[in-house]
Amino acid sequence: MGLTGAGFILQRCGQQQLPRAVLQPGSSLRTLKDWSKKQRGAAETSGRKLADNIKKGDKPDNPVPFKGYFETAREILSMLPTTADPNIPLKRVSAGYCARTCTQPPRNVTMLSRDFISDSLYNPAYGYFTKQALIFSPRDGYQFSQFRDSADFLKVMGQQYEDIERELDDIRSIPRQLWHTPTEILKPWYGYSVAQHIVRQYKADRNAALHADPLTIYEIGGGNGTLMINILEYICKNEPEIYRHMEYNLVEISPKLARQQLSRQVANKAAPHTNVNIINKSIFDWSERVDKSCFVVAMEVIDNFAHDVIRYNYDTGEPYQGTVRVYDDGEFEELFEHISDPLIRDYLQIRSSLSEPAYRSPALPSALYRRIRAQLPLAPNLTKAEFIPTHAFLLMRVLGTFFPLHRLVLSDFYRLPDTIPNAVDSPVVQTRFRGNMVPCETYLVQPGWFDIFFPTNFELLQQVYNAVCRSTTATNGLGKSQVWSQRNFALQNADLPKTSTRSGENPMLDFYENNKFLLS
């Protein structure tokens, strides 16, 4: 495809109507597949139980090959006609602008891909986390010794999960999505393991005379507040002297969750945790410098951090930044332009400076391959897409600037099934329809109705973190960061007999094998 005034047009998503149970009348789903095909895909998903999501999964599929010429041409010819008026001027907006001014998804606008994703997830009026997401949280922690084996545990937990989903379907007209985390399913022992790691590292730093500060923790995105309560319980019970002087700060962007966390803090009226501060703001808006030693905890948070999309020029290898146009009829169009965004430019500059080892994007083929392909008919002008973690990079900057003496405890997914095909580090985009999780093949979907979450390249993130947060003289004594598997972290810090079933199988070791930790 040729160059347009604004950049390279990569795809145009036709308008399609969803059942009213999923979208309001007049709304549309921007996918390259029609909804009926999504429902056929949902039939394959319907038999997948909760165990498939959290138990040890299959190895990831082989990378999807780049689309051939005939497939590309057939896709272009099959695109539905549009009713959009291309002559209406489009306003360039950001996710922050939409959060302040928009009560409905905006039209006649253009924005960076990360702003489109961030607005879809976090807009206070219509974002996914505002109206759709619920966290599965059993009333009490499971007594794992009562279960025969992991399958027995999953059967009981899966039934509870299905009962809650069925209740949501019965009482709500919109498809609320229920998702689970190791913090909730393995409570309190998962939180206790995080607390054990923090206490051990805190004592080691104090003994090494790196600091004499009281223990201070900043948790980012606390969900239901379960991790906060479990960490405080562990330290109060096992390290009363440290607990007496410690401070726990929870930074939460959602007003609803901040209120819920506050209620959890004082739930035990006989002995409320009075050393907790709930800070209702985005970590990206943080502006106060913390010059004392502290721990920053981010568990299952960065998978929902917005990413930018880039593609590379086949002739020169130059990267182009992705933008999303939203027309007057609500139709989406993805275009690419020369990089002008400072955050994208800075991330790519940091990434290109890495040398241990040097990073080469899997989206960019070798120069010889590109020269040969350019001679063939219908050769593309840009490579396949690569999603880059610009908001995770922004978090690293915030930590390096405002928390210079911090230690990091971060955990999230490094591998996910059903990601968008034919792209590097692409997200899972899904919604729930009639009890089934329905994956999509594009992120250009109706804002607020779909979860969009990303796998993390932990080895690359570790290098970026070290370059941003561990490159000054003041941080030399803190050392470089490390990447640990979920299993290794549990072996080092968890009370494993407490999560062992009668057969000896242990969910703390065997589940969430697609998670890793970044520790500093």
Side-chain angles (χ1 to χ4, degrees):
M1 300 183 187
L3 195 66
T4 69
F8 294 94
I9 300 179
L10 262 294
Q11 65 183 38
R12 192 174 191 106
C13 298
Q15 186 169 7
Q16 301 168 43
Q17 296 298 320
L18 283 173
R20 292 184 182 180
V22 177
L23 294 183
Q24 298 172 342
S27 300
S28 54
L29 171 67
R30 311 300 184 219
T31 62
L32 296 178
K33 306 288 184 182
D34 58 34
W35 181 249
S36 62
K37 186 165 185 179
K38 291 289 181 248
Q39 287 188 280
R40 291 197 296 271
E44 300 174 2
T45 316
S46 61
R48 186 184 304 147
K49 298 297 184 182
L50 184 65
D52 296 322
N53 293 329
I54 62 176
K55 204 175 178 184
K56 179 171 62 178
D58 297 331
K59 296 295 183 182
D61 297 332
N62 292 327
V64 179
F66 195 86
K67 289 183 181 179
Y69 307 116
F70 295 107
E71 290 86 345
T72 302
R74 186 164 56 248
E75 183 176 279
I76 294 171
L77 294 174
S78 65
M79 288 180 180
L80 299 176
T82 177
T83 60
D85 183 356
N87 298 315
I88 297 178
L90 301 177
K91 180 178 181 178
R92 189 69 170 250
V93 299
S94 66
Y97 171 86
C98 294
R100 292 189 302 270
T101 63
C102 298
T103 58
Q104 296 290 332
R107 298 191 177 190
N108 297 322
V109 298
T110 180
M111 62 184 82
L112 288 169
S113 297
R114 76 164 181 268
D115 286 313
F116 179 82
I117 295 171
S118 182
D119 186 56
S120 298
L121 293 175
Y122 297 108
N123 186 283
Y126 51 80
Y128 168 79
F129 286 106
T130 302
K131 66 179 186 179
Q132 288 238 52
L134 295 174
I135 304 174
F136 174 67
S137 181
R139 183 183 301 274
D140 301 305
Y142 295 106
Q143 299 297 320
F144 290 92
S145 60
Q146 296 179 359
F147 297 106
R148 181 183 64 255
D149 50 24
S150 294
D152 187 29
F153 165 61
L154 287 170
K155 179 180 178 181
V156 172
M157 185 181 62
Q159 185 60 54
Q160 293 176 351
Y161 196 88
E162 290 178 7
D163 290 344
I164 295 175
E165 284 199 319
R166 190 178 303 111
E167 181 180 347
L168 291 175
D169 288 337
D170 290 342
I171 65 175
R172 299 183 185 274
S173 59
I174 59 174
R176 300 296 291 264
Q177 295 188 41
L178 189 67
W179 43 281
H180 52 82
T181 67
T183 298
E184 297 288 352
I185 289 177
L186 301 172
K187 69 180 181 183
W189 313 112
Y190 188 84
Y192 286 3
S193 69
V194 175
Q196 165 74 359
H197 168 79
I198 290 174
V199 168
R200 180 184 292 131
Q201 185 66 65
Y202 172 76
K203 288 182 174 180
D205 289 347
R206 194 172 58 182
N207 293 338
L210 291 179
H211 68 80
D213 300 320
L215 175 60
T216 302
I217 298 174
Y218 288 85
E219 182 186 355
I220 302 171
N224 288 336
T226 301
L227 182 65
M228 171 186 70
I229 294 300
N230 293 159
I231 290 176
L232 290 170
E233 284 178 349
Y234 177 90
I235 299 176
C236 181
K237 184 186 304 181
N238 296 282
E239 302 288 345
E241 187 61 28
I242 294 177
Y243 177 84
R244 190 173 297 115
H245 302 285
M246 74 172 290
E247 176 186 326
Y248 199 105
N249 304 279
L250 204 161
V251 184
E252 175 58 61
I253 188 175
S254 166
K256 177 182 176 182
L257 289 177
R259 289 191 297 270
Q260 184 172 339
Q261 293 154 5
L262 185 61
S263 67
R264 293 289 301 275
Q265 171 196 351
V266 296
N268 185 350
K269 299 187 183 303
H273 296 292
T274 58
N275 48 1
V276 173
N277 300 309
I278 308 296
I279 305 168
N280 186 201
K281 67 188 302 182
S282 169
I283 188 62
F284 301 123
D285 296 330
W286 193 271
S287 58
E288 178 185 350
R289 185 176 173 91
V290 179
D291 283 317
K292 60 184 176 181
S293 174
C294 62
F295 286 79
V296 175
V297 179
M299 312 298 285
E300 294 82 48
V301 172
I302 65 171
D303 59 297
N304 284 120
F305 277 6
H307 287 46
D308 275 290
V309 183
I310 61 172
R311 297 188 187 229
Y312 300 88
N313 185 295
Y314 250 104
D315 295 330
T316 65
E318 178 189 359
Y320 285 73
Q321 66 187 26
T323 64
V324 177
R325 282 187 175 184
V326 187
Y327 286 94
D328 58 311
D329 64 346
E331 185 172 342
F332 303 126
E333 186 176 33
E334 186 181 46
L335 301 101
F336 288 80
E337 61 191 20
H338 292 283
I339 289 179
S340 59
D341 178 68
L343 187 61
I344 296 177
R345 185 186 298 116
D346 290 349
Y347 173 78
L348 293 178
Q349 183 176 356
I350 285 285
R351 195 179 71 173
S352 66
S353 69
L354 301 177
S355 59
E356 298 178 2
Y359 180 82
R360 177 179 176 82
S361 170
L364 187 63
S366 68
L368 176 61
Y369 177 88
R370 300 201 307 271
R371 284 198 298 270
I372 295 174
R373 191 176 180 86
Q375 306 305 313
L376 300 176
L378 294 178
N381 52 9
L382 296 179
T383 67
K384 64 182 178 181
E386 178 181 6
F387 290 80
I388 59 173
T390 36
H391 269 188
F393 172 61
L394 183 57
L395 173 64
M396 303 298 111
R397 278 185 157 182
V398 170
L399 297 182
T401 301
F402 297 108
F403 303 86
L405 301 180
H406 76 276
R407 287 197 179 275
L408 180 64
V409 183
L410 182 151
S411 178
D412 227 305
F413 308 109
Y414 73 91
R415 185 183 71 231
L416 289 169
D418 299 323
T419 56
I420 293 175
N422 198 40
V424 176
D425 295 333
S426 58
V428 176
V429 182
Q430 65 182 21
T431 191
R432 190 168 68 88
F433 179 62
R434 294 178 181 173
N436 298 317
M437 295 310 299
V438 183
C440 302
E441 295 186 358
T442 176
Y443 70 96
L444 299 179
V445 292
Q446 183 71 14
W449 294 94
F450 294 80
D451 193 5
I452 304 174
F453 55 105
F454 295 82
T456 295
N457 182 334
F458 270 81
E459 286 68 30
L460 176 58
L461 182 65
Q462 176 191 20
Q463 289 184 274
V464 172
Y465 173 85
N466 288 337
V468 174
C469 298
R470 289 292 186 265
S471 58
T472 65
T473 305
T475 61
N476 285 344
L478 298 175
K480 300 296 185 180
S481 62
Q482 299 179 350
V483 174
W484 287 18
S485 68
Q486 157 71 20
R487 184 181 182 87
N488 286 343
F489 184 86
L491 287 171
Q492 291 292 324
N493 298 290
D495 189 353
L496 294 177
K498 297 293 187 181
T499 55
S500 180
T501 62
R502 295 198 303 271
S503 70
E505 292 180 333
N506 198 313
M508 183 71 81
L509 295 176
D510 301 333
F511 291 179
Y512 294 101
E513 287 197 339
N514 61 337
N515 276 30
K516 285 184 178 180
F517 281 80
L518 178 63
L519 305 172
S520 68

